[in-house]
Amino acid sequence: MSGRDDDRDEGGSYASPPCLMHEIDPAYMGLDVQQQQDVSRWRRSERLRLIDARLAMPVVERTAHADAIVSRLDEIIGGVEGKVVSAYWPMRGEPNLRIWLEALEMRGGTGALPVVEQKGAPLIFRLWRKGEPLEKGIWNIPVPSHRAAAVTPDVIIAPVVGFDRACYRLGYGGGYFDRTLACATNHPLTVGVGYSAMEIPTIYPQTYDVAMDVVVTEREAIRR
């Protein structure tokens, strides 16, 4: 999605800095710089392993898993009437929720997609509905037109590369979702979605990581 980039967990900079946290000297916060670097290296390796495993899944299996995830999303979110729900444009074998997102309007909801308008800044969310044109955003990911209205979602659905039972999400390393959620003032429901095979014992959460409210897989919904 537009809030994703590849392998930005570089040693010496935070993977997922909330708001302006990345501008603070780690020593000031009592953070172990060596630990930060070790976690960043591990995350880069684990990210590659999990993406490769996801892409190796047969398409028919990924499709069946996505259908099961959609059913669980309806249970978790409940009625969407009057709600703004942000999902994502699927890439690299992520669960494809496009048909579900397109159908929100018929159910009284409003769909949106996240957009990176400035690297290193929180995401913004723009309205999108079936049939509306998309533009190439940063990293060539399709995003709503710049003319589409910016909105504040009631529900934010984010794909996971990996996740743990505490609902911490391993993403692509850009920190956009963590940064955005740390700055959110409306307390949206946050839902990570991914395949059960992407579960790992821990992502080794750091002070800048923000847990999701729930992680939904084809097998279960895990709440923190």
Side-chain angles (χ1 to χ4, degrees):
M1 62 184 305
S2 56
R4 290 165 285 172
D5 60 352
D6 294 330
D7 304 328
R8 304 285 173 176
D9 289 351
E10 300 297 336
S13 66
Y14 296 141
S16 310
C19 295
L20 301 177
M21 196 170 179
H22 62 300
E23 297 182 359
I24 301 175
D25 187 334
Y28 174 82
M29 301 179 62
L31 300 179
D32 185 325
V33 175
Q34 183 60 55
Q35 180 196 53
Q36 297 283 335
Q37 294 173 345
D38 290 344
V39 169
S40 291
R41 282 193 292 268
W42 176 83
R43 286 183 177 184
R44 286 197 295 272
S45 175
E46 192 69 354
R47 186 177 295 119
L48 293 173
R49 181 186 72 82
L50 290 168
I51 291 173
D52 285 345
R54 188 171 69 192
L55 290 172
M57 294 174 61
V59 173
V60 64
E61 183 177 349
R62 292 203 302 261
T63 300
H65 287 349
D67 290 342
I69 287 170
V70 162
S71 295
R72 295 190 186 281
L73 283 177
D74 287 332
E75 296 174 4
I76 294 296
I77 298 172
V80 297
E81 186 173 359
K83 294 180 181 178
V84 177
V85 181
S86 173
Y88 59 91
W89 201 260
M91 58 179 277
R92 304 178 77 178
E94 293 168 341
N96 189 341
L97 311 182
R98 283 172 52 186
I99 294 177
W100 180 83
L101 180 64
E102 291 171 348
L104 281 177
E105 187 174 17
M106 295 193 318
R107 299 164 58 194
T110 302
L113 292 171
V115 180
V116 174
E117 290 205 332
Q118 180 181 348
K119 290 185 178 181
L123 298 164
I124 69 164
F125 301 88
R126 293 195 179 278
L127 292 179
W128 182 80
R129 57 176 58 88
K130 182 179 180 181
E132 291 185 340
L134 294 167
E135 301 175 347
K136 283 188 177 181
I138 293 178
W139 304 295
N140 292 322
I141 298 170
V143 298
S145 165
H146 64 278
R147 293 183 294 274
V151 292
T152 300
D154 301 293
V155 181
I156 296 177
I157 301 172
V160 305
V161 174
F163 68 94
D164 61 26
R165 303 297 291 190
C167 291
Y168 281 104
R169 167 186 177 272
L170 179 65
Y172 288 89
Y176 286 97
F177 273 107
D178 290 320
R179 190 179 298 114
T180 302
L181 297 180
C183 297
T185 59
N186 66 318
H187 305 295
L189 173 67
T190 58
V191 184
V193 296
Y195 309 120
S196 59
M198 304 297 103
E199 180 178 349
I200 53 181
T202 181
I203 74 161
Y204 296 101
Q206 305 296 295
T207 55
Y208 45 80
D209 289 305
V210 179
M212 309 300 284
D213 292 317
V214 59
V215 173
V216 177
T217 75
E218 77 281 4
R219 292 183 179 177
E220 60 183 330
I222 304 164
R223 296 180 183 272
R224 68 181 173 91

